[in-house]
Amino acid sequence: MTISTQLPPRLAARMERGTAFLGCDVAILCGAMSWVSERHLVSAISNAGGFGVIACGAMTPELLDTEIAATREMTARPFGVNLITMHPQLFDLIDVCGRHGVGHVVLAGGLPPKGSLEAIKATGARVICFAPALSLAKKLVRSGVDALVIEGMEAGGHIGPVSTSVLAQEILPEIADQLPVFVAGGIGRGEAIAGYLDMGAAGVQLGTRFVCATESIAHPAFKRAFIRASARDAVASVQVDPRLPVIPVRALKNAGTELFTAKQREVAATLDGGSIEMAEAQLQIEHYWAGALRRAVIDGDVDHGSLMAGQSVGMVTREEPVADILATLIAEAAQALEARAA
């Protein structure tokens, strides 16, 4: 039995636009978490009725090619690929997605570079972009994107300065009637999903909630850190040098938090010396995060690696299968919608 057959009518109606756009049973995307959102978790989420998204991150085109092919071996259901706009081989990665017939490409990390939207659409894929402000949402709509994700600062990983609830109030009334909008950041229970659906969202995106899924390859120590943590343990990184604009990252506090501060100072000093340009400096920061996250997720170094987590981490209380996580979220959302209707 698939999740779609279990969706109560009111919830099914609220999610209809999102599920039609994604081609899945329930309009819940998995956030693209480097090293975590790979073939095992992505296929498990898609097989359970949600929408898995491969986190390309710093992958080479060859690695992405392998990852997409491996995911296809594990699921016949739709899934997407998240690409970072500042990746130096972005257009090669788009070509890889096109060769595999990937139906949805998510662009993250800034405004799409010139020609990237056209290149993705030429493959037949739909483009999803992140909109951290209403003005940017309107600009992206004009540029021809097919859907938006509005993600608040409660999220894990790279974050903006505005909360999810404020972004939803600003953007949904203005944009939701034009294209599907998915809400993300700090969502850990179905009641919150119901609230954003009622406001006009087509669906939601969750990352932190899926880290401790049984199918997630995250190291047991990484999962234990999540299960032990509370919302206030997930803190945003601090920018050391205003000349080096670093997008803040939300992660659990540990020694790695101090290591990132030291890394910023090191890169800023190199920038001062004139040996690298700003774009290269920012790329070095991105590569640092990729390495620090790998140490934590794959190697289990929860002291010195990066424990990227959203503030919803306090609602992650145990390891459980993806299907159970989705079933719980659906039951909570459906109950909330029915209670409001009554």
Side-chain angles (χ1 to χ4, degrees):
M1 180 181 287
T2 63
I3 283 178
S4 60
T5 61
Q6 302 172 46
L7 284 183
R10 200 177 302 278
L11 180 58
R14 291 289 195 283
M15 286 190 165
E16 185 176 7
R17 191 181 189 191
T19 55
F21 175 78
L22 297 170
C24 57
D25 297 335
V26 54
I28 296 179
L29 298 90
C30 179
M33 302 170 285
S34 292
W35 305 109
V36 178
S37 299
E38 49 73 72
R39 63 190 74 170
H40 295 89
L41 183 60
V42 170
S43 62
I45 289 171
S46 290
N47 285 334
F51 192 81
V53 179
I54 294 173
C56 176
M59 285 185 193
T60 61
E62 293 74 22
L63 282 175
L64 180 61
D65 182 77
T66 300
E67 196 61 36
I68 295 173
T71 306
R72 283 240 189 270
E73 289 290 321
M74 301 175 75
T75 184
R77 306 300 301 275
F79 62 87
V81 175
N82 179 292
L83 303 178
I84 305 299
T85 56
M86 68 175 69
H87 196 297
Q89 294 177 284
L90 176 62
F91 286 86
D92 295 328
L93 296 170
I94 292 171
D95 287 342
V96 171
C97 293
R99 288 201 302 273
H100 282 280
V102 171
H104 299 73
V105 173
V106 184
L107 289 180
L111 286 172
K114 185 177 181 181
S116 58
L117 294 182
E118 293 80 0
I120 294 169
K121 285 178 171 289
T123 70
R126 291 173 166 179
V127 185
I128 306 172
C129 286
F130 283 79
L134 178 58
S135 59
L136 288 174
K138 290 180 176 178
K139 183 174 183 178
L140 288 165
V141 170
R142 289 194 300 270
S143 71
V145 301
D146 298 298
L148 296 174
V149 176
I150 54 175
E151 183 177 69
M153 53 92 70
E154 301 95 321
H158 294 85
I159 57 172
V162 182
S163 71
T164 304
S165 61
V166 170
L167 282 179
Q169 292 175 78
E170 284 184 343
I171 295 176
L172 288 174
E174 298 275 346
I175 302 294
D177 62 338
Q178 300 177 52
L179 80 183
V181 180
F182 298 87
V183 177
I187 301 174
R189 289 184 58 89
E191 293 88 348
I193 295 174
Y196 290 124
L197 291 172
D198 266 348
M199 291 174 68
V204 294
Q205 175 183 287
L206 282 71
T208 300
R209 190 73 173 80
F210 290 115
V211 167
C212 291
T214 308
E215 297 89 346
S216 163
I217 65 163
H219 195 281
F222 191 84
K223 292 182 179 181
R224 283 195 298 272
F226 269 57
I227 292 167
R228 287 196 301 260
S230 67
R232 66 183 60 200
D233 295 321
V235 299
S237 60
V238 176
Q239 181 177 302
V240 170
D241 192 323
R243 296 165 306 152
L244 183 62
V246 175
I247 300 172
V249 168
R250 187 175 299 285
L252 301 181
K253 291 180 291 187
N254 66 353
T257 308
E258 298 304 317
L259 290 175
F260 175 57
T261 301
K263 178 64 179 179
Q264 285 187 75
R265 290 198 182 98
E266 173 194 320
V267 174
T270 311
L271 195 62
D272 284 342
S275 57
I276 61 171
E277 299 293 328
M278 179 63 74
E280 172 61 23
Q282 290 180 306
L283 202 57
Q284 281 192 25
I285 295 293
E286 284 302 308
H287 286 155
Y288 168 84
W289 278 124
L293 191 57
R294 188 189 193 286
R295 287 197 300 275
V297 174
I298 304 299
D299 302 333
D301 183 357
V302 296
D303 294 320
H304 301 98
S306 174
L307 299 168
M308 290 190 189
Q311 290 182 320
S312 62
V313 70
M315 289 172 262
V316 178
T317 58
R318 63 187 179 278
E319 187 173 7
E320 56 186 327
V322 160
D324 290 354
I325 295 171
L326 283 174
T328 298
L329 293 170
I330 288 165
E332 292 167 349
Q335 186 175 358
L337 288 173
E338 295 302 322
R340 289 174 192 177

